[in-house]
Amino acid sequence: MKKFSKAAIFLISSALLASACGKTDNGASPSPSSANGSASPSPAAAEKKEKLELKWMVPVPNGVSLPSADKDFVKKAIDEKFNVDLKIEYMQDGQDYANKLNMKINSGDIPDMFIASGTDSLKYAKDKVLLDISKVVTPQTMPNYFKYWVSEDVLKRYQVLDMFVRAPKPYAQKQYWSYYVRKDWLDKLNLKMPETYDDMINVMKAFVEKDPDGNSKNDTYGMTAAGSGTNVVREFPEFFKNGLIAAFYLDNGQFVEVGTDIRMGQALDDLKKSMDMKLYDPNWFLNKADQKDNAIVQGKVGIFYGSTREAALDNYAASYQKKTKDVTGDSKVDWQPFHPWAKSGVYTDPLPGSPFLFSVKSSEAKVKRSTEILDWLAGEEGFLLTHYGKEGVHYKKNGKKIEMIADAFKKDIADNGNFLEIYGFFTPAEPPTLGLELINPQETDRDRAILAKIAAYKYLPSIGTSVSVKEGMDLASLRKQMYLYQSKILFEEKDASNWPKYRQELMNKYGGKQIFDYYAEQITKAHGKTYTFKADN
């Protein structure tokens, strides 16, 4: 990896004010669907309503796209049921999405409803571009949302800056954080599945040096990531090795903030050593999310860090397993999960993630119609249509059991941009939350073994509440400087000996101690037990 000059580091980091800080740093009766995919009319829908054009902006997975209008049965159903012309602008989640959303907001072209990171939503709240939702998102206006997904207490704790302007998207209760390794490469090189940190380093070293893809070129690496030129992502095993898991956690009465922890220095030193060994894709820091994905599916790396249920399943359009087979033409591709910290803790229990937000410029009628649609998405009818398609065409429903019709799903959905991933942005694909059971015949015994292995991983207790800053606290500037110091250590300095000094600056000059003391106060209130944050731990 080339050394970065001070000027380059400064230029790269200049975009950080617009960047997301991570989903955990948040500062905080259904009717059946019809067989043709049109939503069943409700008494409210039967009333004559003015047709409205709604503009939404949402982040989506890599590689998805909307089909032609005649094949987009979800838009047709929504438009007919709610008498709207719904226009969804979508981009892959990441820095480009955040930048484009910022540009739209700064120009005054604010979507009626949009999804943002926790950190960016704080900025929007300060800039007074968000609508007060205290009378907009309520159990009366969004009964499905509160019945199935988010409690009133969670919503209350999610607010920031004494403003009621954010609501968390429904969030998954099951998690799928795991490393995945090319087991076919392990087999070719007579290596065992890695079980420890040292095993993992040795496997990656072999992937770099021993030509696991057999093309007689020195062009494979252990891992890659997507730093977008700003973010020292914590997917690499060096962070786990040093106890830096998730974003926050609780430990013996203390609140631990991972990004600024004193142990970060040792983790960065370990990461520098691995980079010097050329274990990692040299472009990882500058990679955007699609570039990371391309490196994985093109067979350039032997390990990746995943968080989705379908990451390595056989027949899902969004699966790295299927994509790698399709792109490389190698039928022996076999991504398998592993985690050296499976028994000690791979992440923390789930908390609310990104918020959905409404523009202060949007009319009352548009806001009301948007909440009606969102609540429909949170209920059984909208959930089924936007995750599994049309009843009787793409799935069969028998009571609470949903059985996929794989061929029709592939033909109409997976082969048409896998477009349900766009409309399914609002809710996680967790049928049990709505009392449903999914039977998917396209899932194989291999798939079930993968899911069973991941389900056995240990998760640590979460901090138990969303946390937010208050007026006068500048979380964005803190994060910007934090990533600048970390990238400076990695690419410009010989080691991490300056990290304690940098950390003190983050705590004092950039307000870290004040912010994290305030986080600890919120955690204490939520638990009824005292938790403290120590800047000198």
Side-chain angles (χ1 to χ4, degrees):
M1 170 113 28
K2 291 182 179 180
K3 296 289 183 181
F4 277 54
S5 68
K6 293 181 179 180
I9 289 293
F10 174 78
L11 289 172
I12 286 169
S13 66
S14 63
L16 273 162
L17 280 175
S19 69
C21 189
K23 66 180 182 179
T24 51
D25 210 356
N26 282 306
S29 68
S31 54
S33 59
S34 63
N36 66 8
S38 297
S40 304
S42 65
E47 299 173 4
K48 185 64 177 176
K49 294 181 178 180
E50 173 192 4
K51 186 166 186 176
L52 299 174
E53 180 184 88
L54 299 180
K55 294 181 179 180
W56 291 3
M57 185 169 176
V58 302
V60 299
N62 183 37
V64 302
S65 60
L66 289 176
S68 58
D70 61 308
K71 296 178 180 179
D72 192 346
F73 56 82
V74 178
K75 175 175 169 57
K76 182 176 183 291
I78 292 174
D79 286 357
E80 289 181 355
K81 180 177 178 68
F82 296 98
N83 198 22
V84 297
D85 179 11
L86 178 61
K87 297 184 181 298
I88 293 187
E89 186 170 1
Y90 58 93
M91 288 181 63
Q92 184 175 2
D93 197 10
Q95 189 58 48
D96 285 347
Y97 174 87
N99 290 344
K100 185 165 186 179
L101 178 57
N102 280 328
M103 286 184 358
K104 293 176 78 69
I105 290 174
N106 291 336
S107 70
D109 181 23
I110 311 174
D112 297 302
M113 189 286 303
F114 54 100
I115 308 297
S117 73
T119 304
D120 282 347
S121 69
L122 293 177
K123 180 179 183 298
Y124 302 148
K126 288 180 181 179
D127 293 344
K128 312 296 184 186
V129 300
L130 303 181
L131 181 74
D132 184 293
I133 61 170
S134 56
K135 296 181 181 179
V136 173
V137 180
T138 70
Q140 291 71 42
T141 60
M142 297 186 69
N144 290 322
Y145 174 79
F146 286 97
K147 177 180 179 180
Y148 295 116
W149 303 100
V150 176
S151 71
E152 291 183 76
D153 285 342
V154 167
L155 179 64
K156 183 178 179 181
R157 292 197 296 264
Y158 199 72
Q159 302 317 307
V160 294
L161 303 175
D162 297 321
M163 301 179 191
F164 209 97
V165 294
R166 313 185 322 161
K169 280 198 316 171
Y171 57 100
Q173 297 304 305
K174 288 187 177 181
Q175 300 184 95
Y176 300 93
W177 300 99
S178 185
Y179 287 105
Y180 292 85
V181 64
R182 284 283 298 267
K183 187 174 183 300
D184 53 307
W185 285 9
L186 294 177
D187 293 344
K188 181 176 180 179
L189 300 178
N190 294 316
L191 298 170
K192 294 181 179 180
M193 185 71 71
E195 295 182 356
T196 67
Y197 172 79
D198 288 339
D199 288 346
M200 194 171 174
I201 294 297
N202 290 332
V203 162
M204 289 191 290
K205 189 172 185 292
F207 287 170
V208 171
E209 297 176 351
K210 296 185 177 181
D211 191 25
D213 60 355
N215 68 354
S216 301
K217 297 178 181 179
N218 184 21
D219 62 352
T220 51
Y221 297 95
M223 271 188 71
T224 190
S228 296
T230 60
N231 188 351
V232 178
V233 292
R234 296 194 290 269
E235 298 177 1
F236 296 110
E238 290 76 13
F239 297 102
F240 285 94
K241 175 192 174 188
N242 287 282
L244 303 180
I245 300 170
F248 315 125
Y249 63 91
L250 303 178
D251 182 32
N252 294 323
Q254 290 193 11
F255 160 61
V256 178
E257 199 289 313
V258 169
T260 59
D261 193 85
I262 192 65
R263 293 168 292 177
M264 180 61 67
Q266 183 59 55
L268 293 172
D269 269 339
D270 290 340
L271 181 55
K272 283 173 72 69
K273 291 175 185 176
S274 295
M275 290 165 57
D276 288 342
M277 293 169 65
K278 303 188 185 305
L279 300 185
Y280 301 134
D281 172 8
N283 298 313
W284 74 263
F285 184 71
L286 298 178
N287 278 347
K288 295 178 180 177
D290 60 337
Q291 293 170 308
K292 169 191 171 182
D293 289 349
N294 289 340
I296 294 169
V297 303
Q298 290 170 2
K300 299 301 181 185
V301 297
I303 290 175
F304 73 86
Y305 191 60
S307 62
T308 62
R309 180 182 184 275
E310 69 277 2
L313 304 191
D314 280 318
N315 299 310
Y316 283 79
S319 162
Y320 288 107
Q321 172 73 11
K322 186 176 188 307
K323 285 182 178 179
T324 308
K325 279 189 174 183
D326 290 346
V327 171
T328 63
D330 184 353
S331 62
K332 295 181 180 179
V333 169
D334 186 13
W335 286 109
Q336 286 290 334
F338 76 99
H339 208 305
W341 295 271
K343 295 180 180 179
S344 58
V346 301
Y347 208 75
T348 56
D349 290 332
L351 280 172
S354 299
F356 64 98
L357 310 162
F358 297 97
S359 167
V360 72
K361 291 187 174 183
S362 189
S363 69
E364 182 179 347
K366 288 187 176 184
V367 171
K368 184 174 186 294
R369 205 75 60 88
S370 287
T371 57
E372 290 173 356
I373 298 171
L374 291 173
D375 193 58
W376 176 77
L377 294 174
E380 184 175 304
E381 181 181 89
F383 176 86
L384 289 174
L385 186 66
T386 55
H387 286 281
Y388 307 115
K390 304 179 194 177
E391 182 178 357
V393 178
H394 305 114
Y395 69 88
K396 300 174 185 176
K397 188 170 185 288
N398 181 12
K400 291 296 183 180
K401 291 187 177 181
I402 310 300
E403 183 174 353
M404 300 300 298
I405 303 173
D407 290 344
F409 188 94
K410 179 180 184 301
K411 175 177 176 291
D412 296 343
I413 297 164
D415 292 346
N416 279 292
N418 203 29
F419 71 97
L420 291 191
E421 292 282 348
I422 298 171
Y423 290 108
F425 76 92
F426 193 58
T427 53
E430 289 193 351
T433 302
L434 286 86
L436 302 170
E437 178 186 354
L438 178 66
I439 302 171
N440 194 339
Q442 73 173 344
E443 291 191 358
T444 63
D445 288 343
R446 174 184 173 279
D447 295 344
R448 286 183 277 276
I450 286 173
L451 295 173
K453 182 173 183 177
I454 295 172
Y457 292 174
K458 180 179 179 179
Y459 283 81
L460 303 176
S462 75
I463 60 174
T465 182
S466 299
V467 287
S468 63
V469 298
K470 57 185 176 182
E471 196 64 46
M473 295 179 176
D474 192 348
L475 179 62
S477 292
L478 171 70
R479 293 302 186 200
K480 173 186 175 182
Q481 194 64 32
M482 179 189 80
Y483 286 127
L484 176 60
Y485 283 150
Q486 291 173 359
S487 58
K488 186 178 181 182
I489 288 171
L490 282 181
F491 303 115
E492 189 175 277
E493 300 184 353
K494 64 182 174 110
D495 57 35
S497 57
N498 281 326
W499 177 248
K501 179 182 72 174
Y502 293 155
R503 186 173 187 272
Q504 285 304 309
E505 289 188 17
L506 293 172
M507 292 299 108
N508 300 320
K509 182 178 178 180
Y510 294 93
K513 187 173 189 311
Q514 182 186 23
I515 291 172
F516 301 137
D517 280 343
Y518 185 54
Y519 281 9
E521 289 178 23
Q522 296 169 70
I523 295 166
T524 293
K525 183 176 179 181
H527 285 267
K529 175 183 175 182
T530 300
Y531 285 92
T532 59
F533 170 75
K534 290 187 178 180
D536 58 353
N537 67 337

